[in-house]
Amino acid sequence: MTTTGPTPSTDFIRAIILDDLKTNKYGGRVHTRFPPEPNGYLHIGHAKSICLNFGIARDFKGLCNLRFDDTNPSKEEVEYVDSIMEDVRWLGFDWADRLYYASDYFEQIYQWAVQMISAGKAYVCDLTADEVREYRGTLTEPGRNSPYRDRSISENRDLFERMRAGEFPDGSRTLRAKIDMASPNLNLRDPVMYRILHASHHRTGDQWCIYPTYDFTHGQSDSIERITHSICTLEFENHRPLYDWYLRELGIYAPQQIEFARLNLTYTVMSKRRLLELVKEGFVNGWDDPRMPTICGLRRRGYTPEAIRNFCARIGVAKMDSVVDIGLLEHCLREDLNKRAQRVMGVLRPLRLVVDNYPEGQVEQMEAVNNPEDAGMGTRKVPFARTLYIEQDDFREIPPKKYHRLTPGQEVRLRYAYLVRCTSVVKDSNSGEVAEVHCTYDPATRGGNTPDGRKVKGTIHWVSADHAAAAEVRLYDHLFTKPDPDEVAPGQDYKANLNPSSLERLSRCWLEPSLKDAAPGSRYQLERLGYFCVDPDSKPGSPVLNRTVSLVDTWAKIEKKGAGGGGRGARG
RNA sequence: UGGGGAAUAGUGUAACGGCAGCACAAGUGACUCUGGAUCACUUAGUCAAGGUUCGAAUCCUUGUUCCCCAGCCA
């Protein structure tokens, strides 16, 4: 906090904690928890919560638990708990030996339910789900008491015991809190505490056929773990009075719940329901599809934990519903990758370039800088020869205004190699498209230097045709075409805004030879193109690259602005 | 039409009765062997109307808009 750089101002939650520390509210303790339900993969929204909870523990020298809120056996699976642990760890956080499951507390929670019954604060209700809804009333009308509300304590105890023993079918009865059917807060209209569910639980197996609801579990779990600050999202604000009521009636330790606004991002969706739908209906290739906002998707895309953590620090924490520009996430990514990614050359859409006056069969090893931002990363050799590939975009027979690249008569620099001047083009006899470009080089400019001090506006990348490694490159764009995917015509849903070109596969790309056996997961900057990472689909000798994010493209902006004037792409 | 929340540049977020600041985005220029990076500069804001005060984004009143709640989901 007292070191260099702008001091991040404390968010409203840290302000509360600071204050609690001052008043010694929890004896100087700060103990938070990250409580996911294992019913899906973690996404960038969870990362915000993870950074908040673990970050607070780190900042205040406190602790943060990982606890699975696994109270609904019908939706939860081990696959999800494994992935959640992997993702939290990958993000750089450690719960040490404090891994908990709400299901570990089932017996205690059951005993608390019995205690509530004995105190006359809970009853077994025989109403069906539909009837419960009817009796609940509406937003503006009070509800009515259940006809089973005044059962005797002993009858309630007996019935609840028999619920546990499995005597009743699913949905036939519930245990309900006896609070107030006229409460303006619907959560307080005799909420369900236990439901009958003959389902196998991922941890407790068939030990139980009744399961506590989240509402009757969450506060108590926090209480058992002596959580001081129970941080959750806004939609649980209405539930806080209920949690407080349970804790007070039970007479047990009560943490302080603080709600913050969940993260929303432009051009994507964040709800688990929707992400599941995209996976199940095949709109993406699994939870770790690089287009997904899931942590594993971002990881496969090439995101770094540092970039995600930095993003979470920059978006702040508040109670206002908001939508963060995905451009900020991309900015944080570029900022991190710029510092650490090794530079290499690769051509995505190849166009043959023949250097006519370069000796046939000659090969020179050109020295290239690995990272201009970090001299410590050293240099490497890149082979140069007579026949090269350059990017189709880097040649125009009829150049638009301000075009600095290769064009008949104009000189450009081949990065780290030589200055060349285009002399002629060869066109495909059928399509009429440019198939090959011929040029001559200036031997005095070896390494890309200009001994005579002459200025060259354009520098383009290249690979030697005989030495390059063939690769597949996958380009990604936003998953949705609109910043707000919910902006649809009547009768349509968010899927109508799915971006049909969110994935583009280029199968005939050429990379400099050093990338031939690049390890999956490693990240590079392909100069002038963007940041890429090696996908697990790669086979030895045939790499597959994902474009993590493009470089800021000033030329594209200029070209777009001048639209209507400049000629279109050479590749059509 | 019940209850609970929230409103500050295009976006996100500070300022806690005392000069409305920062970041991203956008724009302009410098520099450059990546049209990258970097640097400099510019545009742009307190939901509205009243009130209290020497002084209001901040306190009070009224209004407006948006979000959440009628799962035996979390």
Side-chain angles (χ1 to χ4, degrees), chain A residues 352-358 386 390 395-397 405-412 419-427 434 436-442:
Chain A
R352 276 169 76 88
L353 177 69
V354 182
V355 187
D356 290 328
N357 60 338
Y358 194 82
R386 189 169 187 266
I390 62 170
F395 175 80
R396 291 293 157 82
E397 193 175 13
R405 285 110 98 142
L406 194 62
T407 185
Q410 183 163 276
E411 191 172 48
V412 295
L419 267 53
V420 296
R421 192 181 293 277
C422 168
T423 49
S424 64
V425 302
V426 177
K427 292 188 181 175
V434 175
E436 189 175 281
V437 176
H438 286 257
C439 67
T440 55
Y441 83 113
D442 177 353

Side-chain angles (χ1 to χ4, degrees), chain A residues 180-232:
Chain A
D180 176 12
M181 289 306 291
S183 172
N185 181 343
L186 268 50
N187 295 123
L188 264 25
R189 317 244 263 228
D190 289 10
V192 170
M193 297 162 62
Y194 264 90
R195 68 283 217 200
I196 301 173
L197 236 39
H198 289 264
S200 212
H201 186 277
H202 72 106
R203 300 206 86 220
T204 60
D206 296 322
Q207 201 180 326
W208 295 90
C209 61
I210 56 171
Y211 291 92
T213 57
Y214 172 84
D215 279 352
F216 190 63
T217 306
H218 190 79
Q220 291 96 310
S221 301
D222 282 344
S223 180
I224 290 169
E225 295 174 24
R226 309 293 287 181
I227 299 304
T228 56
H229 302 270
S230 178
I231 299 165
C232 63

